[in-house]
Amino acid sequence: MGDTFNSSRVFNRTLQGRVTFGNLEDIDVTADRSPVLRIMISVIYILVCAIGLVGNSLVLLTMRLLVGRKSPTINVFIIHLAVTDIQFVLTLPFWAVDTALDFSWPFGDAMCRIILSVTVMNMYASVFFLTAMGITRYCSVASATKNRVRPPASRTIKWVCAFLWVVATVATVPTSIFSTVTNVAGENLCLLKFPAGQYWLALYHLQKILVAFILPMLILSVSYLLLLRFVKKRNLNSIHSKRRIHVTKSITVVVLSFFLCWMPNHAITFWGVLVKLNVIHWDEAYYIAHTYVFPVTVCLAHTNSCLNPFIYCLTRRTFRQKVKNCLSNIAP
């Protein structure tokens, strides 16, 4: 998610100034900045932050009660997913202020580097843990139906989680190196500044599209299609029939939410990549898309951090019961 922020700033600035990507010195700061849209986006960021903090904190609290020595592997991934989403939503107030100030970064160069890196790292980590949960769900349902429940050792789960965090960190290295505050037309912008200009930025976006959307989407789709195929082949007595209906609904919500939240943002980002590489020409439609539509797709992608706890936890009967118990204990 993180570099979607950067994309919005860089694209809006360059497109509103009708300049070629990378020529930040020629930006026309008198162009239309859509203050109403910026304020709306800032408000959405704050709402996503509030809902994400409450929802994911509730997930962590409930998972602490559910996780035991024989806890399902997917619960461990849910905990890590909640942690990544909390870390991500904590960066949103910074971006809300930045957006409200017309993308003029007031927090300094160090915070620019830190906030951008944390945002991007947790974007990758969140997607990786979602993917791991998709694979785990297939393995757990398939093994349980075959009456061969062999949960992986806790040490193995820890190594898998550590590996996913390492991969997310490595994917964030370009952001950590090239993020900086750049003075453009008298304003300080927190953005990525690559030495090779638009071509490195195009490769950066291609990495995000491939690693954070296309590959996870393929893995999730294959895992869930295999799961549906497996459940369909089971004997359809009443128990298996209910399991099939539940799995089908859960899979549909998971895949559609991931696709609908991220596809618009990645589609416009890929459009920008083609423009940067001179594969297609810059035109008025592209300007309108990046100035008015792209910020909306950013907000849509960020809502994924709010939806995760509801999709992956509240659809489970055991979790819902624990939530009710927790709320009843908290209520006076």
Side-chain angles (χ1 to χ4, degrees), residues 30-314:
T30 63
D32 178 23
R33 296 171 182 176
S34 304
V36 175
L37 180 60
R38 287 190 289 104
I39 296 300
M40 290 178 59
I41 292 173
S42 298
V43 171
I44 291 175
Y45 287 167
I46 297 300
L47 289 176
V48 171
C49 178
I51 297 174
L53 280 177
V54 173
N56 287 287
S57 297
L58 185 60
V59 169
L60 289 179
L61 176 63
T62 308
M63 283 293 105
R64 187 176 181 179
L65 301 176
L66 288 177
V67 171
R69 182 170 298 180
K70 296 182 180 181
S71 175
T73 304
I74 196 170
N75 285 354
V76 179
F77 289 137
I78 288 175
I79 292 175
H80 282 268
L81 178 63
V83 171
T84 64
D85 288 339
I86 287 177
Q87 292 180 154
F88 167 74
V89 297
L90 286 176
T91 67
L92 290 179
F94 293 91
W95 299 122
V97 173
D98 178 65
T99 303
L101 295 177
D102 197 16
F103 309 110
S104 181
W105 184 259
F107 303 109
D109 187 77
M111 286 301 293
C112 169
R113 192 181 302 271
I114 292 172
I115 296 300
L116 260 179
S117 299
V118 171
T119 305
V120 173
M121 182 184 69
N122 284 284
M123 180 271 293
Y124 279 114
S126 179
V127 174
F128 293 162
F129 283 114
L130 289 177
T131 306
M133 288 166 59
I135 298 174
T136 301
R137 177 166 293 184
Y138 167 72
C139 295
S140 62
V141 173
S143 61
T145 307
K146 292 180 178 179
N147 296 321
R148 296 184 306 181
V149 182
R150 296 178 181 178
S154 59
R155 179 176 298 181
T156 302
I157 299 174
K158 292 180 180 179
W159 278 110
V160 171
C161 293
F163 173 75
L164 294 179
W165 277 113
V166 169
V167 175
T169 303
V170 171
T172 311
V173 169
T175 304
S176 301
I177 295 175
F178 297 108
S179 57
T180 184
V181 173
T182 301
N183 189 280
V184 180
E187 296 190 43
N188 294 323
L189 306 183
C190 177
L191 45 75
L192 295 174
K193 190 174 182 180
F194 291 103
Q198 62 186 20
Y199 299 106
W200 280 37
L201 186 59
L203 292 177
Y204 176 86
H205 289 311
L206 283 176
Q207 171 191 296
K208 187 200 74 170
I209 295 170
L210 179 64
V211 177
F213 182 70
I214 295 179
L215 289 179
M217 189 67 197
L218 287 176
I219 295 174
L220 280 174
S221 299
V222 171
S223 298
Y224 287 138
L225 285 175
L226 289 175
L227 180 57
L228 286 176
R229 180 186 177 189
F230 180 85
V231 174
K232 186 176 181 180
K233 287 184 176 181
R234 298 292 93 187
N235 295 326
L236 295 180
N237 54 36
S238 59
I239 297 178
H240 285 145
S241 179
K242 292 181 179 179
R243 177 186 292 271
R244 179 183 174 185
I245 294 174
H246 175 75
V247 170
T248 302
K249 290 182 178 180
S250 178
I251 289 172
T252 302
V253 173
V254 168
V255 176
L256 282 181
S257 64
F258 179 76
F259 180 78
L260 293 177
C261 283
W262 282 104
M263 187 276 295
N265 180 267
H266 287 295
I268 296 182
T269 300
F270 184 68
W271 189 1
V273 170
L274 296 179
V275 172
K276 294 186 192 69
L277 297 178
N278 296 319
V279 176
I280 61 177
H281 296 292
W282 186 97
D283 56 15
E284 188 68 20
Y286 181 64
Y287 166 75
I288 294 175
H290 261 293
T291 302
Y292 301 104
V293 180
F294 186 80
V296 177
T297 68
V298 172
C299 295
L300 181 61
H302 296 341
T303 59
N304 194 50
S305 295
C306 291
L307 292 176
N308 285 336
F310 299 101
I311 294 174
Y312 292 93
C313 296
L314 296 182

Side-chain angles (χ1 to χ4, degrees), residues 5-34:
F5 285 109
N6 182 268
S7 302
S8 180
R9 274 191 299 283
V10 174
F11 287 147
N12 282 338
R13 289 290 186 174
T14 53
L15 287 174
Q16 289 173 358
R18 306 299 181 106
V19 297
T20 306
F21 289 99
N23 298 332
L24 295 178
E25 297 81 5
D26 298 331
I27 294 175
D28 178 12
V29 295
T30 63
D32 178 23
R33 296 171 182 176
S34 304

